[in-house]
Amino acid sequence: MWWLLFFLVTAIRAELCQPDAENAFKVRLSIRTALGDKAVSGEPAKEYRINKVVFLWSVKISPNRRTRKISHVLLCNITQRVSFWFVVTDPTKNYTLPADEIQSAIRMNRNRINSAFSLNDQTLEFLKIPSTLAPPTDPSVPIWIIIFGVVFCIVIVAITLLVLSGIRQRRRKNKEPSEVDDTEDKSENTITIENGIPCDPLDTKGWHINDTFMTEDERLTPL
Amino acid sequence: MASAPGPDPPGDSSEDERPKWDNKLQYLLSCVGFAVGLGNIWRFPYLCQSHGGGAFLIPYLIALAFEGIPLFHIELAIGQRLRRGSVGVWKAISPYLGGVGLGCFTASFLISLYYNTVLTWVLWYLLNSFQHPLPWSTCPLNLNQTGFVEECQGSSSVSYFWYRQTLNITADIDYSGSIQWRLLVCLAACWAVLYLCVIRGIESTGKVIYFTALFPYLVLTIFLIRGLTLPGATEGLIYLFTPNMQTLQSPRVWLDAATQIFFSLSLAFGGHIALASYNPPRNDCEKDAVTIALINSMTSLYASIAVFSVLGFKAANDYGHCLDRNILSLTNEFDFPDQSISRDEYAAVLTHLNATQPERLAGLHLESCRLQDFLDKSASGTGLAFIVFTEAILHMPGAPAWAVLFFSMLFTLGLSSMFGNIEGVITPLLDMGVLPRWVPKEILTGTVCLLCFLVATCFTLQSGNYWLEVFDKYAASLNLIIFAFFEVIGVVYVYGMERFCDDIEWMTGRRPGLYWRVTWKVISPLLLLTIFVAYIIYQVWTALSMAENSQYKQFPSRQEKSYPGWVQAICGLLSFLPALLVPGVAMAQLPIWRRRKQKRGGQPDMENRPREPMASPGPKDRPSSREE
C-alpha cells in the first residue's frame, strides 16, 4: 500500500523532484558495504528501507514546522545503486523548501539518521552536504611525553649511580697504593734467605741493561 | 720469562692498564654492531631493488672480496698490533701519516653528530608508537572540522606526520626556522642514553652490546616471519630478487656496490682500529675480519628479505585500494548495485564500458592501477623508515606493536653503530692524553657527549633535515675513501708488506697468503683510486641539488633547487677539510724533522724515526723467537 501511495505522490509532483532540480539533493546508500553478509538482497527490501528513510527524515527534517507527513518528501530517480534524489515540499505541495534549511537540518541530525540505520557517513552519503567529522580524542598529556619522562628519569638515575660507583672505586684504589707502598718498603729491608744463601730481589735496584736488546737497534732504519 | 724492562716508550706506561674485552664474544659483537647499522636496513634493499635485483649481488660480492675484507683485515690487524686508537696508530707507523689518524678522528666526530640525530627521529617515532590508533594514521582536522588539513590531504597522513609534525620542515635550507623543542628533548635523551652506555669506555659498552647487537636480529626474524605470511609478500620478493643483468653495464651500479660495501663495513672511521686495540695481541684477526664482514653482508640480505616482504604487502594493499577506488567511481557513475563488481571482474567491466560508453568513462579520470607501479615506489634512507614502512605497518593488524618493534630495532641498530663511532673519537683522545691522567674517564666521555649534543642542536632546527643530508653526502663520503686509500698505501708501502706479514704471523700464527698480498698491494689501492675518481666525476656531473626525499610522494611541492652559495661552500669544506689534514700534517712534520736533523749534526735521530712497532709494546709482547 505504501508502494502505491508512493508512486501516486511522485507521479503528481514529478516536476518538483528531478535530478539537479533546485533544492534537490542526491542520496547514495551503500547497504551491502555497511551490512556485509547480513544485507538482504532483493527489490522489496530496498524499497522498504527507502520508505523507512523517508519517513524518519520527514520526522526529523522539519523541526520548526508542523509538517510531519511522509508525503511531503518526494523521491525520484531511484537507481539500482541505491541512489535517489529527494526534495522536501511544504504542506501545500506547491513549492520545495529551500536547500539551506534542509542542509542545516540534515547536518544537525546526521548522527541520528546514521545511527537509526546503522550506517555511517560513507555508506549513507548526502552529496553536496559535507559531514562534520568527529575530532580525535586527545588525552590531556600526550602519551609520548609520559613515556619520555619515564625513560629519561631511568637514564639519569643510572648515570648518577655509575658515576658515584666510579668515584667510590677510585677512592678505594687511592687508599690501596699507600698500603702497598708500606709493604714494599718492608720487603726491601729484609733479605730473603734460602738454603742459607741470600737472594737479591731481581729488579728493585735500578735499571739493568740487557745486551740482547741493544742489537735490536740495528733493525731501526733511518728515515 | 726474565726480561729487564727497557726505557718505556711514551704512552706505554698505560699498556698494562689498557682496558680489555671481557671475552671474545664482546669484541665480535661490538664489531658486528658497529658494522651492522641503519644502512643495512634501508640502503642495501633499495640498492638491490633498483640495480637489477639479484644481479646486484655480483658487484656487491666482488667489492666485498677485493675491497671490503682486505681493508677490514688491515684495520683490525694494525689496531690489535699497535694497541692504539687511530691517531696513535698512524703516528706510530709514520709521523708523516699522522694526518690520516687525525682525519679519521675528525670524520668520526662529524658522523657521530648527525648519526645520533637520525636516532633522535627514531626515538621520537618510538615514543609515539605506544598509542592506538597511531598518530600518523589519520590527518588532523581543519578548523571548521569539515575535512582534513589541506597540506595533509595533498600528500598523505604519513608524509604529513613526518614532514610537518616531526620535522616541521621549512621550504628551503636558507630559512632555518626555530628549534623544535620536541626533537631537542629527544636529542638530549639520545645523547644521555649513549653517555650511559659509553661512560666507562668498553667496560660499559661491553655489557650493553649483548642486547643492542642481538636484539635487532630477533626483531628482524619476527618481521621476516610476519612479513612472509602477509598477502603480497611473494610479489615483493620476486620483484626484489629478479635479476636484470642489463643493469650491470652501467658503471653507476658498480660504484654503488663499492661504496655500499665501504660504508656498510664502516671502514676508515677509526672505530674498528679502536675496538681492536683493546684485544689481546695474539688474536686471530684474519678470522675475525672475514667472519664479521660475512655476517654484515648476510645481515643485509636477511634484512632485505624482511623489508621487501613487507613492502610487497604494502604494494599489494595499495593496488587493492586503487582498484576499489576505481570500482567505486564506476559504481557511482553508472549506478551499478553496491559491491556488484569484484576486483577480479574490474578489468572485464572496464573493457565492456570502454566499448559501450567511452565518453562517460573518460570523464571519470580513473587512476591507472598497476601492481608494478606500486612496487616501483620504493625508497631508501629516512624515506623508507619513516614514510613507506610506517604506512605499511598501519595496514598490519596490531599496528602499534609492530611500530614499537620496528623502531626499537632501528634504535638499537643505530646505538650499536654509535658505540663504534664514539670509540673512534674517545680512544684517540685517551691515547693522546688530552686530559691529565687523574681526570676520570667518565669526565672525558661526558665532555665529548655534551659537546656533540650542543653542536647537534643545529639539526633540530626546522631546516635540520637539509643539513643532515649535506653532512651525510659530503662529510662522510669522499674523505673516508681518501683515508682508506692512505691506510692501504701506508701499511703496505710505508710500514712495509713484509713487516706487516711478520706481525700478522706473530698474531695469528700463519702468514697471510697470496690473496691477501695481492689485494693489499695492488687491487685494493687501485679499486679505491677508481672509486675516488668516479665519485668526483659523478658529483661534478650532477649539480648540487636539494631534494626532499627523491623517490617518494612529495610533501610540499618539491622542486629541485641548487644549494645557495654559502651552503655549497660548506659542502666543499666538509668534503675536503678533513682530507687536507693528511698533507697538512705531513708538511708540518717536515720542518720539525729537518730542524732536529740539523741540531744533531746529521746523526741518525733515534727519537723521531718512524717508530719501530716491534719495540713499542711492553716486554711481554715482544714478538721474537727469543720469547718463551
Side-chain angles (χ1 to χ4, degrees):
Chain A
M1 199 192 91
W2 281 112
W3 178 249
L4 285 169
L5 184 63
F6 212 60
F7 257 111
L8 200 60
V9 166
T10 46
I12 293 170
R13 301 295 163 197
E15 64 273 12
L16 280 178
C17 173
Q18 284 197 16
D20 295 322
E22 196 191 351
N23 301 333
F25 289 97
K26 184 166 182 186
V27 178
R28 222 185 261 146
L29 286 164
S30 309
I31 300 171
R32 217 175 268 169
T33 314
L35 298 180
D37 294 329
K38 290 189 263 170
V40 182
S41 59
E43 290 281 339
K46 276 195 209 121
E47 300 305 333
Y48 168 69
R49 289 200 80 86
I50 293 179
N51 288 343
K52 226 176 130 194
V53 168
V54 168
F55 177 67
L56 275 168
W57 278 348
S58 62
V59 166
K60 294 176 196 316
I61 280 177
S62 329
N64 295 333
R65 314 193 179 215
R66 296 280 179 80
T67 51
R68 283 175 180 241
K69 299 239 175 77
I70 187 176
S71 51
H72 294 163
V73 180
L74 307 177
L75 307 184
C76 51
N77 216 30
I78 302 164
T79 65
Q80 263 199 323
R81 167 71 178 83
V82 193
S83 67
F84 51 85
W85 291 83
F86 77 94
V87 289
V88 183
T89 58
D90 76 313
T92 62
K93 299 200 178 91
N94 284 332
Y95 59 91
T96 56
L97 297 177
D100 301 330
E101 252 187 59
I102 302 191
Q103 191 175 49
S104 56
I106 289 183
R107 283 191 77 184
M108 272 181 30
N109 295 303
R110 195 68 186 267
N111 241 0
R112 278 190 279 167
I113 299 176
N114 283 349
S115 53
F117 301 107
S118 347
L119 299 170
N120 56 31
D121 286 348
Q122 279 78 47
T123 43
L124 176 57
E125 293 170 78
F126 291 82
L127 272 67
K128 290 191 290 178
I129 302 182
S131 52
T132 314
L133 300 167
T137 47
D138 273 330
S140 52
V141 180
I143 293 183
W144 75 268
I145 290 186
I146 299 172
I147 302 178
F148 171 81
V150 168
V151 166
F152 204 60
C153 286
I154 294 177
V155 169
I156 295 294
V157 165
I159 289 179
T160 324
L161 286 175
L162 278 175
V163 167
L164 287 176
S165 75
I167 294 175
R168 227 181 301 134
Q169 254 178 29
R170 234 178 305 278
R171 275 209 202 116
R172 231 180 286 142
K173 236 196 281 176
N174 281 340
K175 272 196 221 140
E176 275 177 27
S178 54
E179 295 164 3
V180 170
D181 282 337
D182 292 336
T183 53
E184 273 184 4
D185 284 336
K186 281 198 206 123
S187 65
E188 275 200 341
N189 297 332
T190 61
I191 302 176
T192 50
I193 297 181
E194 250 180 53
N195 293 339
I197 306 166
C199 315
D200 283 325
L202 267 175
D203 47 0
T204 54
K205 304 252 195 289
W207 302 118
H208 293 264
I209 299 206
N210 190 345
D211 288 330
T212 50
F213 240 88
M214 294 304 282
T215 53
E216 289 231 345
D217 288 344
E218 289 165 11
R219 299 184 61 185
L220 284 172
T221 50
L223 232 178
Chain B
M1 173 183 84
S3 56
D8 273 337
D12 274 356
S13 50
S14 59
E15 268 309 319
D16 295 331
E17 300 167 15
R18 193 171 185 82
K20 4 185 214 291
W21 299 106
D22 289 343
N23 51 49
K24 178 88 181 264
L25 184 64
Q26 265 185 16
Y27 163 63
L28 282 179
L29 284 180
S30 295
C31 286
V32 166
F34 182 35
V36 172
L38 297 169
N40 295 67
I41 303 288
W42 70 33
R43 182 98 181 119
F44 178 79
Y46 165 73
L47 284 179
C48 213
Q49 176 252 311
S50 61
H51 288 321
F56 181 70
L57 290 177
I58 297 178
Y60 183 75
L61 290 173
I62 291 179
L64 178 68
F66 291 115
E67 178 202 346
I69 295 184
L71 280 171
F72 195 42
H73 189 197
I74 285 186
E75 288 210 2
L76 291 186
I78 54 176
Q80 192 175 292
R81 185 70 194 83
L82 300 175
R83 314 199 80 211
R84 298 229 174 79
S86 56
V87 176
V89 147
W90 293 107
K91 261 213 282 219
I93 289 185
S94 159
Y96 291 87
L97 284 178
V100 178
L102 269 179
C104 289
F105 169 76
T106 318
S108 271
F109 175 72
L110 291 173
I111 290 165
S112 300
L113 290 178
Y114 78 79
Y115 206 85
N116 224 20
T117 310
V118 177
L119 281 190
T120 306
W121 298 335
V122 173
L123 182 66
W124 163 256
Y125 268 78
L126 178 61
L127 294 175
N128 274 294
S129 302
F130 287 96
Q131 46 188 296
H132 182 68
L134 291 167
W136 54 83
S137 56
T138 46
C139 283
L141 298 177
N142 60 13
L143 285 169
N144 52 8
Q145 294 187 351
T146 53
F148 299 117
V149 170
E150 244 188 78
E151 238 183 348
C152 191
Q153 267 195 319
S155 55
S156 71
S157 59
V158 191
S159 297
Y160 182 77
F161 186 77
W162 168 237
Y163 283 114
R164 188 55 57 213
Q165 289 174 313
T166 304
L167 298 176
N168 201 6
I169 204 164
T170 49
D172 216 303
I173 198 172
D174 271 327
Y175 309 115
S176 304
S178 56
I179 289 193
Q180 301 301 296
W181 68 270
R182 297 182 178 88
L183 288 182
L184 189 69
V185 296
C186 287
L187 184 74
C190 277
W191 279 106
V193 169
L194 188 67
Y195 178 50
L196 175 67
C197 295
V198 300
I199 192 168
R200 293 214 193 117
I202 63 164
E203 230 184 277
S204 37
T205 57
K207 311 275 186 313
V208 189
I209 201 73
Y210 290 111
F211 174 70
T212 54
L214 293 175
F215 179 71
Y217 285 96
L218 176 67
V219 176
L220 266 180
T221 311
I222 296 176
F223 261 99
L224 185 74
I225 297 175
R226 176 77 259 235
L228 288 176
T229 52
L230 288 169
T234 30
E235 275 94 14
L237 287 175
I238 293 172
Y239 183 65
L240 168 70
F241 285 119
T242 313
N244 174 17
M245 294 298 186
Q246 303 298 322
T247 54
L248 293 186
Q249 293 167 357
S250 140
R252 182 72 211 277
V253 173
W254 295 86
L255 178 66
D256 277 342
T259 46
Q260 170 62 16
I261 267 292
F262 190 81
F263 297 123
S264 178
L265 281 173
S266 310
L267 296 171
F269 282 43
H272 285 297
I273 298 180
L275 294 175
S277 69
Y278 299 112
N279 263 344
R282 285 190 183 242
N283 173 52
D284 196 340
C285 52
E286 179 185 337
K287 204 159 61 144
D288 294 342
V290 176
T291 314
I292 296 168
L294 285 179
I295 291 180
N296 179 55
S297 298
M298 289 297 118
T299 311
S300 293
L301 273 173
Y302 195 59
S304 54
I305 298 178
V307 165
F308 262 84
S309 51
V310 174
L311 290 185
F313 158 72
K314 175 181 184 295
N317 209 324
D318 288 345
Y319 173 64
H321 286 319
C322 179
L323 283 180
D324 286 344
R325 281 195 296 274
N326 282 358
I327 290 174
L328 195 63
S329 308
L330 284 180
T331 324
N332 289 344
E333 173 66 19
F334 295 99
D335 289 318
F336 294 133
D338 181 29
Q339 287 200 1
S340 53
I341 310 176
S342 73
R343 286 181 188 173
D344 303 322
E345 294 165 6
Y346 168 73
V349 168
L350 196 65
T351 17
H352 170 73
L353 284 175
N354 221 357
T356 50
Q357 299 180 65
E359 318 81 33
R360 272 179 89 180
L361 199 61
L364 275 182
H365 302 293
L366 295 175
E367 313 167 44
S368 80
C369 297
R370 286 176 62 237
L371 184 59
Q372 194 70 12
D373 293 338
F374 290 105
L375 285 170
D376 276 334
K377 270 197 207 158
S378 60
S380 76
T382 50
L384 177 74
F386 299 119
I387 298 185
V388 176
F389 219 81
T390 42
E391 204 180 319
I393 286 179
L394 284 177
H395 301 303
M396 292 162 71
W402 295 109
V404 167
L405 271 179
F406 178 64
F407 288 114
S408 42
M409 171 184 76
L410 287 187
F411 191 73
T412 43
L413 270 175
L415 197 64
S416 52
S417 297
M418 275 304 293
F419 294 159
N421 279 328
I422 281 288
E423 279 299 327
V425 174
I426 288 177
T427 306
L429 286 176
L430 282 172
D431 293 335
M432 288 195 293
V434 161
L435 293 179
R437 289 203 57 206
W438 53 266
V439 175
K441 197 191 280 193
E442 285 90 332
I443 295 194
L444 176 69
T445 44
T447 319
V448 170
C449 288
L450 185 65
L451 189 68
C452 289
F453 164 66
L454 291 173
V455 177
T457 48
C458 70
F459 293 118
T460 55
L461 290 169
Q462 288 181 260
S463 56
N465 191 29
Y466 299 129
W467 284 110
L468 203 123
E469 281 173 9
V470 165
F471 266 68
D472 189 25
K473 256 166 108 176
Y474 298 105
S477 47
L478 220 52
N479 292 320
L480 296 172
I481 299 177
I482 296 176
F483 296 142
F485 178 72
F486 279 109
E487 271 184 20
V488 186
I489 298 294
V491 167
V492 171
Y493 294 104
V494 176
Y495 186 77
M497 173 69 99
E498 287 314 310
R499 214 193 295 170
F500 188 56
C501 290
D502 288 338
D503 286 346
I504 294 187
E505 190 183 8
W506 180 76
M507 287 195 290
T508 66
R510 47 180 193 285
R511 217 168 166 77
L514 186 66
Y515 159 71
W516 298 107
R517 288 164 171 269
V518 171
T519 47
W520 286 335
K521 235 188 162 93
V522 178
I523 301 186
S524 294
L526 270 181
L527 212 56
L528 285 170
L529 207 58
T530 323
I531 297 172
F532 176 72
V533 169
Y535 215 91
I536 293 208
I537 294 177
Y538 175 68
Q539 293 289 358
V540 167
W541 190 19
T542 55
L544 291 172
S545 70
M546 175 172 65
E548 292 144 31
N549 213 354
S550 10
Q551 264 73 29
Y552 200 61
K553 223 171 175 192
Q554 308 333 317
F555 181 54
S557 61
R558 186 206 45 164
Q559 313 151 279
E560 295 269 341
K561 284 194 252 188
S562 47
Y563 287 131
W566 62 283
V567 177
Q568 287 187 2
I570 293 184
C571 295
L573 273 177
L574 281 174
S575 292
F576 291 111
L577 213 58
L580 286 178
L581 282 170
V582 179
V585 168
M587 288 201 292
Q589 287 292 319
L590 215 53
I592 298 175
W593 178 78
R594 269 206 208 118
R595 216 182 308 131
R596 289 227 171 105
K597 196 173 174 189
Q598 281 170 357
K599 232 202 276 182
R600 307 214 171 212
Q603 278 178 7
D605 181 12
M606 300 290 283
E607 282 176 23
N608 272 355
R609 222 167 296 183
R611 299 207 37 150
E612 169 63 70
M614 298 244 176
S616 61
K620 267 197 298 189
D621 305 332
R622 242 184 57 216
S624 70
S625 53
R626 286 162 240 163
E627 217 173 44
E628 294 176 76

